[in-house]
Amino acid sequence: MPLIAPTMPLVVGGGGREHALAWKLAAEPGVNQVTVAPGSDAIAAVAGVRRFQDVDPLDPSAVVAAARRCTADLVIVGPEAPLAAGVADALADAGIPCFGPTEVAARIETSKAFCHEVAAAAGVRMAAARAFAHGEAHAARVWAEELDRSGRGIVLKADGLAAGKGVVVCHDLADAVERIPGSLDGPAGSGPALVIEERLEGPEASVIAICDGRRAIALPTARDHKRLGDGDAGPNTGGMGAYSPLPDLTDAEVAEILETVHLPLLEELARRGTPFRGFLYAGLMLTAQGPALLECNARLGDPEAQIVLPRLATALGPWLLAAARGALPDATDPWLPVRRTAAVGIVLAAAGYPGTPVRDDAIDGLDAAAASGALLFHAGTRVRPDGTWATDGGRVLTVVGQGPDLAEARAAAERAADLVRWPGLQRRHDIAAPAGASVGAPR
């Protein structure tokens, strides 16, 4: 059966990921208009896109009403919070196709403990881990001590959603012991609150697949950088940059990851009566013993979306609509067609991020950066009444450079990022840099 393009898609969300989705869909054949809810000033400026600013993305009934208002034939839920709020469930009840998992299926992201449980049942390799509820600090300390005695590092993960900032890689046992009580000091008996894992070693990789409950088709591979500073220094963030493709992950290895990670997880979720339809993001560690699953997300990554979607050599909408209907074709290749190019994205963050970001700083250089050929995806900006742009969030922009290889894509991204300025701007200078390469001084 041929794939059919959605004509009136609705994208739920308003960040950089949703900007990239709206930008991609609006340029595709068969799409008449893209609606975003609540969107942003930058997304609304994309040709062929309109904005429903008054929609609360965490209110399932409001999203259903918005879908009816724009006669959407497909709703794509961008962020994780609306999925956790049951937006996909409400759309299914209303008979509106939705690309995004139900609240229960999305627990593979919203609960680290649930992810480990599903992976274990599916036979998917993850780090050794145990989950602890509030009031179980002593048991948590005992497990951390066991990991330390066996020579394994210790990683603490908040069980619920934490905007990509809920992971702490502990320096040593003392660091873990100091942090554990603060993570488990809530009322006893309130369910898992903290997962403590062994630390795995190796480069990370993001393999994101479009899933229809049974099948999985991979997007281009990517690598995200979570730490705030160059050389992976500083606190964890929602992501300070990403690049694609990965020189250390072959097509054959991607196909094997789909077979050994994505498909078993889909089979297990379906067995439980909660089939997963949406983007299944496998965050992996490429260890010496082979890939190991670090975590799952139930949506596109951010900033991975901003560098993966421009590399697609096919329309995205028809694949998302087919998956939402549970009808992905049995493809010969387990991945979507990809341009033989590279993309590097550098995130520009506000002063104060990842803590309390400074808002309303004037942004200069956007036109010059765009004129250089870079793509600019806005995550935390707004237009002032005088028509100028200002910061309005922690991660403000992702500047994407493209080229025939990673070196040229990185150079293009660096040149464009250098043109954008505001007081206290934070960024990394080593996204996609070769190992051991020197980087510029932060400004």
Side-chain angles (χ1 to χ4, degrees):
M1 180 181 295
L3 295 175
I4 299 171
T7 59
M8 301 289 286
L10 168 65
V11 177
V12 177
R17 165 184 44 232
E18 291 75 45
H19 192 175
L21 280 166
W23 166 84
K24 172 65 174 160
L25 293 167
E28 294 184 351
V31 175
N32 294 332
Q33 185 166 57
V34 177
T35 304
V36 292
S40 68
D41 292 339
I43 302 175
V46 176
V49 175
R50 64 176 170 180
R51 181 185 186 188
F52 286 176
Q53 186 174 354
D54 58 342
V55 176
D56 179 358
L58 302 182
D59 181 344
S61 62
V63 175
V64 170
R68 288 174 171 156
R69 180 174 154 198
C70 68
T71 62
D73 53 354
L74 174 65
V75 178
I76 302 139
V77 182
E80 61 274 25
L83 296 171
V87 164
D89 305 71
L91 289 163
D93 290 343
I96 301 170
C98 175
F99 185 77
T102 62
E103 179 182 356
V104 175
R107 287 189 67 214
I108 200 153
E109 173 174 6
T110 62
S111 171
K112 299 291 191 297
F114 181 74
C115 181
H116 273 278
E117 176 190 321
V118 172
V124 174
R125 179 189 172 211
M126 293 190 75
R130 294 182 187 175
F132 301 93
H134 291 295
E136 295 184 334
H138 175 72
R141 175 172 178 162
V142 170
W143 169 238
E145 291 171 343
E146 181 178 334
L147 289 175
D148 184 66
R149 281 195 302 273
S150 64
R152 293 174 285 180
I154 302 166
V155 179
L156 308 183
K157 293 185 177 182
D159 183 66
L161 295 177
K165 294 175 279 188
V167 178
V168 175
V169 179
C170 298
H171 301 299
D172 50 30
L173 177 61
D175 186 24
V177 168
E178 182 179 353
R179 293 176 182 273
I180 285 170
S183 302
L184 297 173
D185 60 0
S190 54
L194 180 69
V195 172
I196 302 180
E197 296 180 352
E198 66 171 326
R199 181 177 180 177
L200 299 176
E201 299 291 340
E204 294 189 28
S206 303
V207 179
I208 306 169
I210 296 170
C211 302
D212 70 352
R214 297 182 298 119
R215 304 175 188 87
I217 298 178
L219 297 174
T221 57
R223 177 164 290 136
D224 180 22
H225 294 262
K226 288 289 188 187
R227 297 283 186 171
L228 181 65
D230 290 339
D232 288 332
N236 266 342
T237 72
M240 292 300 293
Y243 64 90
S244 175
L246 302 187
D248 51 357
L249 200 57
T250 67
D251 285 350
E253 288 168 331
V254 172
E256 184 176 358
I257 287 168
L258 290 180
E259 288 290 337
T260 59
V261 177
H262 294 76
L263 293 179
L265 292 174
L266 292 177
E267 183 178 355
E268 176 61 20
L269 288 169
R271 187 190 68 78
R272 294 168 178 239
T274 56
F276 185 103
R277 294 179 181 177
F279 291 114
L280 182 56
Y281 173 129
L284 303 157
M285 185 72 81
L286 305 182
T287 74
Q289 294 75 39
L293 181 65
L294 292 175
E295 64 176 4
C296 284
N297 291 335
R299 37 73 192 181
L300 262 178
D302 183 344
E304 290 95 334
Q306 293 92 306
I307 51 103
V308 163
L309 296 184
R311 294 195 61 228
L312 291 181
T314 183
L316 178 67
W319 293 93
L320 303 187
L321 181 58
R325 292 173 169 169
L328 280 175
D330 292 318
T332 302
D333 294 326
W335 45 76
L336 292 186
V338 176
R339 303 181 194 280
R340 293 302 176 186
T341 58
V344 174
I346 300 172
V347 171
L348 310 185
Y353 181 77
T356 302
V358 176
R359 298 176 185 267
D360 203 38
D361 279 331
I363 304 173
D364 295 319
L366 293 178
D367 290 342
S372 76
L375 298 171
L376 304 181
F377 295 113
H378 293 229
T381 65
R382 67 178 182 87
V383 176
R384 290 168 164 173
D386 64 0
T388 59
W389 289 92
T391 63
D392 196 37
R395 290 186 296 164
V396 177
L397 296 165
T398 302
V399 179
V400 179
Q402 301 179 82
D405 55 37
L406 283 172
E408 292 200 29
R410 178 174 181 264
E414 289 280 340
R415 285 194 299 268
D418 285 343
L419 298 170
V420 182
R421 296 183 179 277
W422 64 81
L425 183 154
Q426 301 185 87
R427 57 170 280 202
R428 288 181 62 157
H429 297 75
D430 61 348
I431 305 302
S438 59
V439 297
R443 59 176 171 85

